[in-house]
Amino acid sequence: MTTQAATFELEMTRFIRAPREKVFDAFTNEAALAAWHCPRGLHVGEVAVDVRVGGHYRVTMVTRDGTAHGSSGTYQVIERPSFLAYTWAWDGEGDLAARTTLIEVTLTEKDGGTQMHMRHTGFPDAAIRDDHNQGWTSVFNRLVDYLDPEGSAGNVVLVGNPISPYVRAVRIALAEKGVAYALKSEAPHSPAVDAIHPFGRIPAMYDGPLQFYETRAILRYIDEAFDGPGLLPASGVTSRARAEQWYSVLDDYGYDAIVTRFILPYLFPSGPAPDRAVIDAALPDIDRVLATLDAAYGKRDFLVGNAPCVADYLAAPLLYSLAQMPEGPGLLAKYPNVQRAMKVMQARPSFISAEPDLEGKGDASNVTPLRKANAA
């Protein structure tokens, strides 16, 4: 086996729910490599392989702005389906491009699938090794997407109660993107949530080993990591700023007035009956939020432009929740633009797919009382 002295090395292990022959082929087949061999947010450009000892390969990874990052190397050891070793070198100039590193992939049968162990050696310093750690983690997430029977749901797990407006906003965004995911129903401050979010709030999300929390950050990751329609307007600095503006309005003022000071006092009263003083004090602020949104919609069905964006994905579950409460229909009746926009969003498959099962029909693991879901 050809080896290379390594100052710093990287080792990673992933379990893949696929036969090891299929995993091995994913590393050596041009069509397979074109489907997965780049980090999220990029796509594979050129792929060429000559799978024999001494044979060469080449793969390019292309950013959304068209910048290509090429790599190439030579196969050192090929022992199908258990082991593969090959060199790796980046295109370009500079110390990193001049350095050839070594990748060794060991595949072991385990639990009906494959345990993949990757050892990448020859890095000149810890910073470059750590950069490759981040990159390989994302690349192997795509490998799992490609091979797992559930596709991206083998990686992407959304953690949080399905009745939370924020959880629903993320679910709508994932559905709009066409990203398959698993939903793990958990209340705020549960051990599963606390394991990710230092403040115990929902939602949180896994993408393979990667962990994310805070709704806006999760939405940003989904937007940039996955193909499909953008979650922000595609053109115009002003439009993107407006989308962020309306998301902030709903996050900062809409949720506080509608959920914290209106819905929760009804469903989670501090005494034997809802606190009317708190509820009544919230009504003018809810009306102000609705008036602001009504003016923003105007004749459009969405807050910015002619397609939904992150602001619409948060507005939809908030307005839906408002409509279920005693004063909700009366508050909404004053604002025809808001009502029209609600109907449009509620008819979208993404909204319907994210609607929690309030009647307890279907998967009971996804149903938790509203008061528990929002008691964050």
Side-chain angles (χ1 to χ4, degrees):
M1 180 187 304
T2 299
T3 60
Q4 179 171 333
T7 305
F8 293 88
E9 65 182 51
L10 170 65
E11 293 192 63
M12 305 180 72
T13 301
R14 293 288 291 269
F15 176 74
I16 302 172
R17 294 197 303 163
R20 103 179 139 152
E21 289 82 1
K22 197 168 183 179
V23 179
F24 188 92
D25 290 344
F27 276 88
T28 55
N29 177 273
E30 289 184 357
L33 288 165
W36 71 269
H37 204 288
C38 65
R40 295 221 190 274
L42 283 70
H43 69 271
V44 178
E46 176 188 355
V47 180
V49 299
D50 179 11
V51 187
R52 59 183 176 83
V53 174
H56 299 285
Y57 74 89
R58 177 170 175 75
V59 178
T60 62
M61 309 173 197
V62 185
T63 65
R64 289 185 179 179
D65 66 5
T67 303
H69 301 278
S71 62
S72 59
T74 303
Y75 293 105
Q76 306 289 296
V77 182
I78 301 172
E79 297 175 358
R80 188 179 191 278
S82 60
F83 185 77
L84 184 69
Y86 52 96
T87 60
W88 177 283
W90 289 104
D91 292 350
E93 301 177 352
D95 293 342
L96 185 59
R99 176 176 289 265
T100 298
T101 56
L102 180 70
I103 296 171
E104 298 167 286
V105 179
T106 302
L107 305 176
T108 307
E109 293 180 346
K110 180 181 179 181
D111 299 332
T114 302
Q115 185 88 329
M116 181 199 71
H117 179 267
M118 190 274 289
R119 183 171 181 258
H120 192 169
T121 60
F123 298 111
D125 57 49
I128 291 175
R129 177 201 61 197
D130 293 345
D131 284 345
H132 279 73
N133 183 21
Q134 179 173 297
W136 277 119
T137 298
S138 189
V139 170
F140 290 147
N141 282 350
R142 289 179 60 113
L143 175 61
V144 172
D145 288 355
Y146 178 68
L147 293 174
D148 193 285
E150 295 185 3
S152 57
N155 280 309
V156 180
V157 180
L158 184 62
V159 182
N161 195 281
I163 208 166
S164 159
Y166 290 107
V167 172
R168 293 192 69 190
V170 173
R171 295 184 69 191
I172 292 169
L174 287 164
E176 290 281 343
K177 280 279 194 178
V179 178
Y181 66 96
L183 176 65
K184 184 176 183 180
S185 182
E186 295 284 349
H189 308 292
S190 66
V193 174
D194 288 341
I196 308 175
H197 198 312
F199 301 98
R201 297 298 184 93
I202 55 175
M205 191 180 84
Y206 289 97
D207 183 13
L210 302 175
Q211 300 176 3
F212 301 92
Y213 58 87
E214 290 298 302
T215 306
R216 189 66 191 92
I218 293 171
L219 290 171
R220 179 67 178 267
Y221 178 76
I222 292 168
D223 194 21
E224 296 191 16
F226 296 98
D227 295 334
L231 305 186
L232 289 171
S235 62
V237 173
T238 299
S239 294
R240 287 191 289 274
R242 292 294 182 210
E244 296 280 7
Q245 170 186 290
W246 291 120
Y247 181 92
S248 294
V249 166
L250 292 158
D251 187 30
D252 294 336
Y253 313 115
Y255 184 87
D256 176 66
I258 294 171
V259 177
T260 304
R261 296 190 288 121
F262 179 59
I263 294 177
L264 288 183
Y266 263 119
L267 300 180
F268 199 38
S270 57
D275 190 334
R276 288 307 317 179
V278 174
I279 292 170
D280 291 342
L283 297 180
D285 292 331
I286 296 173
D287 189 76
R288 185 177 182 182
V289 169
L290 294 176
T292 303
L293 292 176
D294 201 71
Y297 284 119
K299 296 182 179 180
R300 295 192 307 267
D301 294 328
F302 308 108
L303 285 165
V304 184
N306 297 315
C309 67
V310 290
D312 300 290
Y313 304 150
L314 182 54
L318 282 174
L319 295 172
Y320 174 86
S321 298
L322 173 62
Q324 312 311 307
M325 304 309 294
E327 293 92 341
L331 289 164
L332 290 162
K334 298 166 56 179
Y335 300 106
N337 296 334
V338 171
Q339 293 182 78
R340 185 192 66 249
M342 286 176 62
K343 290 179 181 178
V344 170
M345 277 301 299
Q346 289 177 18
R348 293 182 74 85
S350 60
F351 180 91
I352 296 169
S353 71
E355 187 169 349
D357 186 356
L358 299 179
E359 300 299 325
K361 300 172 183 176
D363 184 1
S365 67
N366 286 342
V367 181
T368 307
L370 180 61
R371 67 176 67 183
K372 187 175 182 181
N374 287 295

